[in-house]
Amino acid sequence: MTDTAFTAHDVAGFLQENPGFFDEHADVFATLQVPHPHGSRAISLGERQIMTLRERNRELEWRLNELVRNANANESIGTHVAKWCSRLLSECDPQRVPGEIALGLAEQFDLNHVALRLWNLSELPATGYGEPVTQDVRTFTDSLKAPYCGTDTGFEAAGWLDAKPKSLALVPLRLEADGPAVGLLVLGSDDAERFTPEMGTTFLESIAQLASAALHRLNPATPKA
């Protein structure tokens, strides 16, 4: 006796090889019942297809909304960066530039805690933002090739803040891209999710480049003989 039992693979293969099957047997398509994906009852194949399309549409709508939210967030960040940068450019007194960097960021980005220390700048006073820092801080800052973001608040530089944050970003400042660090910007937040290890640092790197460019005013080039 020949075994004529069909497997699920056989049925699937047959339907793929015969796309006109349901056109020729419309009554089968209309009466075919399949399990409901979220329940125990059976539904028609057509209804199941409609549900699948609706789920796909919801997923696409969610992705579109996410893109819109990201675009709006990026636009907002860009606006705040432009306002902060305008403050740096409009400051006529080089001695006030460090304050515009730190306080301007706190204001524009609603940061709870901000600290800035600078060194090796010829026109920088040895007080305030130019207050001496340890060699450990300088060595650590030189080792940062990109901003650090996270919830580890045990860094020595975190002690510069007026209170212990729940998350922070450490942003090295350099007059030249591959040169030694001349400062460290510390951004602290009372929100543990504000600065996380998984977040991108492109925005913070842009902040570092703009702040570093402004600091050239405190380190004017030596006139050539």
Side-chain angles (χ1 to χ4, degrees):
M1 182 176 178
T2 303
D3 186 1
T4 58
F6 291 106
T7 65
H9 180 74
D10 293 332
V11 175
F14 172 81
L15 293 175
Q16 289 176 343
E17 294 173 2
N18 298 272
F21 175 82
F22 286 116
D23 288 335
E24 300 171 1
H25 302 82
D27 56 328
V28 175
F29 182 85
T31 59
L32 190 61
Q33 299 284 300
V34 296
H36 192 286
H38 307 299
S40 58
R41 68 185 181 89
I43 58 176
S44 69
L45 184 59
E47 186 177 354
R48 176 62 182 270
Q49 288 180 312
I50 291 174
M51 292 181 64
T52 300
L53 290 174
R54 286 175 177 170
E55 290 176 356
R56 290 178 179 175
N57 285 339
R58 281 195 293 269
E59 181 179 352
L60 291 174
E61 183 178 357
W62 181 87
R63 291 181 180 178
L64 178 59
N65 289 336
E66 185 69 15
L67 289 174
V68 172
R69 284 194 294 270
N70 290 339
N72 289 337
N74 289 336
E75 182 179 2
S76 177
I77 288 174
T79 298
H80 288 297
V81 168
K83 291 181 179 179
W84 172 69
C85 194
S86 295
R87 289 181 58 164
L88 296 182
L89 292 172
S90 62
E91 179 53 64
C92 298
D93 184 356
Q95 300 298 322
R96 295 174 62 90
V97 168
E100 291 297 335
I101 291 173
L103 301 179
L105 284 173
E107 178 182 315
Q108 290 297 325
F109 296 98
D110 193 25
L111 293 166
N112 304 112
H113 318 281
V114 176
L116 173 64
R117 292 290 187 277
L118 302 168
W119 53 86
N120 292 342
L121 298 173
S122 61
E123 300 298 323
L124 178 70
T127 57
Y129 295 108
E131 184 178 338
V133 299
T134 67
Q135 186 58 47
D136 285 344
V137 168
R138 296 191 184 198
T139 301
F140 169 73
T141 306
D142 275 331
S143 72
L144 288 175
K145 302 306 179 184
Y148 163 85
C149 296
T151 57
D152 184 352
T153 59
F155 297 101
E156 180 180 341
W160 302 343
L161 300 173
D162 57 0
K164 185 175 182 179
K166 291 185 178 179
S167 66
L168 57 74
L170 302 176
V171 185
L173 304 179
R174 294 179 169 86
L175 296 183
E176 305 296 336
D178 297 323
V182 297
L184 181 63
L185 183 61
V186 185
L187 311 177
S189 175
D190 293 334
D191 180 2
E193 299 298 321
R194 181 71 181 270
F195 300 109
T196 65
E198 298 79 18
M199 69 182 293
T201 59
T202 301
F203 158 66
L204 292 174
E205 290 170 5
S206 296
I207 290 295
Q209 292 172 358
L210 292 169
S212 297
L215 290 175
H216 276 279
R217 300 176 64 188
L218 287 170
N219 199 62
T222 302
K224 295 182 180 180

